[in-house]
Amino acid sequence: AYRDSLGENVGSHVAAIEADSGGERPVGFGLGLGAVEFGLGSAEQQEERPEAKALRQNALATLREVGRLLEGIEAGEISSRGGGADISFLMREGVPGLGLRTVGERYMHWHHTQADTLDKVDPQNLRRQIAALAVMAYVLADMPERLVDIPAPSPQP
């Protein structure tokens, strides 16, 4: 419904960020390049495509500069393969996707169970996640150029 409400304005999104890894300590972000990943085939096929590789390398280099701002809270790691199911509909339209990554030590012990409750969230880790998300969102929104311009894939006949 959100994607549908945007219409042709989906291209005005600088990025989409998903935080769906629980309340553990954040370590950084993973990057997914939307139409590159969805429109240019599998990861193996992308490695063979110079345009996909160049877009990914340039975007990762930029994000690693942003990640340096998060080193003080040990959340500056930037890696490939980010985004997530909740933002995939935007990524398919060419919006770069980022996923907040955490240490992932215990989250799968209770993920989507009745034990998946707020008492599992360490307030200090939540503060770190909020800080990491705020810094990343602010910098991406304030950059003079877009992180990457990816043309939306052409509709398939």
Side-chain angles (χ1 to χ4, degrees), residues 21-66:
S21 297
E24 294 182 88
R25 183 176 57 79
V27 294
F29 292 87
L31 169 68
L33 288 184
V36 171
E37 292 177 353
F38 291 106
L40 295 179
S42 68
E44 293 79 23
Q45 291 169 327
Q46 289 177 44
E47 291 304 317
E48 299 173 12
R49 298 188 118 153
E51 67 274 24
K53 192 172 184 177
L55 284 171
R56 177 172 297 286
Q57 288 175 340
N58 291 339
L60 285 169
T62 299
L63 288 175
R64 287 186 176 123
E65 288 298 313
V66 179

Side-chain angles (χ1 to χ4, degrees), residues 63-111:
L63 288 175
R64 287 186 176 123
E65 288 298 313
V66 179
R68 294 177 68 194
L69 300 171
L70 300 170
E71 289 175 355
I73 61 169
E74 299 177 346
E77 180 182 306
I78 304 296
S79 61
S80 293
R81 307 293 176 242
D86 295 334
I87 59 174
S88 62
F89 58 94
L90 292 171
M91 293 174 65
R92 283 187 197 100
E93 300 283 338
V95 177
L98 287 92
L100 178 66
R101 298 192 184 276
T102 67
V103 292
E105 294 168 344
R106 294 177 301 277
Y107 186 58
M108 292 312 291
H109 294 180
W110 55 74
H111 182 60

Side-chain angles (χ1 to χ4, degrees), residues 86-147:
D86 295 334
I87 59 174
S88 62
F89 58 94
L90 292 171
M91 293 174 65
R92 283 187 197 100
E93 300 283 338
V95 177
L98 287 92
L100 178 66
R101 298 192 184 276
T102 67
V103 292
E105 294 168 344
R106 294 177 301 277
Y107 186 58
M108 292 312 291
H109 294 180
W110 55 74
H111 182 60
H112 291 293
T113 70
Q114 289 184 346
D116 195 353
T117 56
L118 191 57
D119 61 303
K120 308 303 185 298
V121 177
D122 177 325
Q124 186 61 25
N125 287 336
L126 180 60
R127 288 182 193 99
R128 286 184 181 111
Q129 286 190 17
I130 292 167
L133 290 162
V135 167
M136 184 60 71
Y138 179 84
V139 172
L140 288 173
D142 198 50
M143 289 182 356
E145 297 178 5
R146 297 174 70 85
L147 178 62

